[in-house]
Amino acid sequence: MLQPAENPLLSETQIEEIVDRVAARIAEDYRGASIMMVGLLTGAFVFMADLARALSRYGVRIEEVDFIIASSYEGTESSRNVQILRDLRTDVQGRNILLVDDILDTGNTLLKIRRLLETREPSRLACCCLLDKPSRREVELDVEYIGLEIEDRFVIGYGLDYNQDYRALPYITEMVEK
Ligand code: IMP
Ligand code: MG
């Protein structure tokens, strides 16, 4: 049976440092500009909240925060057929869009959403993921900001779930056979 491992893979402090580092890079690239943040629910909700505040601390103006719900995982298997269950409230045309997700796995979800948003002609579109499992990638896509690359492990906590559970853990750990 899969259970959370006892030792965190990333502690609260380590996550804080990663988020701060990513925010600093984004702030550097968007000096003076304002950003609309678009998060992918549900996994991105914790990272979005911390990243939005970290960006504000670095002086980036967040003009709007909104979310897209895309169908995704069941258990630990990626579903390759991505569907939009909830779309944005406003138009993104001519705006700076920062698309935020928790973890990049096969890349199918983010690629689909990125392409969809590109058709709406934002002035600038960049993706930001807290974690990345590059060895799992099935598609080619640009992700401008990555917090940390990890090995092929199924991780939970800090928004990441296993069958909807464990999202509220303040640290990140992996599911292991016990
Ligand atoms: P992709 O389309 O295969 O890149 O799937 C990305 C989505 O799958 C992420 O937004 C997560 O919601 C979920 N996911 C991928 N890997 C993990 C993991 O290790 N733990 C929890 N969720 C994951
Ligand atoms: Mg997700």
Side-chain angles (χ1 to χ4, degrees):
M1 202 169 124
L2 282 178
Q3 295 279 336
E6 260 140 55
N7 295 325
L9 206 60
L10 294 170
S11 68
E12 288 185 63
T13 314
Q14 286 172 310
I15 296 171
E16 232 172 79
E17 285 165 5
I18 294 168
V19 174
D20 183 80
R21 233 179 13 240
V22 172
R25 282 177 47 214
I26 297 171
E28 178 78 25
D29 292 351
Y30 285 82
R31 238 173 286 158
S34 74
I35 294 179
M36 173 180 177
M37 293 180 75
V38 174
L40 294 188
L41 288 177
T42 306
F45 83 109
V46 179
F47 178 43
M48 268 289 268
D50 283 347
L51 183 63
R53 286 172 292 177
L55 286 169
S56 287
R57 268 181 231 118
Y58 278 104
V60 178
R61 201 176 100 70
I62 308 298
E63 62 187 29
E64 186 170 344
V65 173
D66 202 355
F67 294 92
I68 288 177
I69 304 180
S71 62
S72 58
Y73 266 48
E74 284 197 5
T76 59
E77 250 330 288
S78 174
S79 83
R80 277 145 193 87
N81 180 21
V82 182
Q83 300 205 10
I84 311 287
L85 304 179
R86 191 263 180 200
D87 207 337
L88 299 173
R89 273 175 308 210
T90 52
D91 200 4
V92 302
Q93 191 177 24
R95 302 169 75 181
N96 294 320
I97 305 303
L98 184 65
L99 183 55
V100 179
D101 203 5
D102 51 359
I103 189 166
L104 193 55
D105 190 63
T106 65
N108 285 297
T109 314
L110 203 61
L111 180 66
K112 166 105 194 248
I113 308 295
R114 185 175 184 125
R115 282 200 178 139
L116 173 74
L117 293 183
E118 272 163 3
T119 64
R120 299 178 183 176
E121 303 176 333
S123 122
R124 188 168 173 183
L125 175 61
C127 292
C128 175
C129 288
L130 178 70
L131 299 175
D132 180 16
K133 298 193 270 195
S135 66
R136 297 260 309 161
R137 198 80 76 258
E138 290 178 0
V139 293
E140 234 179 81
L141 88 158
D142 295 329
V143 178
E144 288 77 359
Y145 306 101
I146 296 282
L148 186 73
E149 288 189 359
I150 61 168
E151 289 178 5
D152 182 9
R153 298 167 169 184
F154 197 84
V155 288
I156 50 153
Y158 196 73
L160 293 143
D161 73 304
Y162 174 67
N163 288 336
Q164 303 305 325
D165 203 357
Y166 309 114
R167 290 196 198 274
L169 290 178
Y171 53 85
I172 290 172
T173 189
E174 67 178 305
M175 295 299 286
V176 290
E177 204 60 58
K178 278 194 184 168

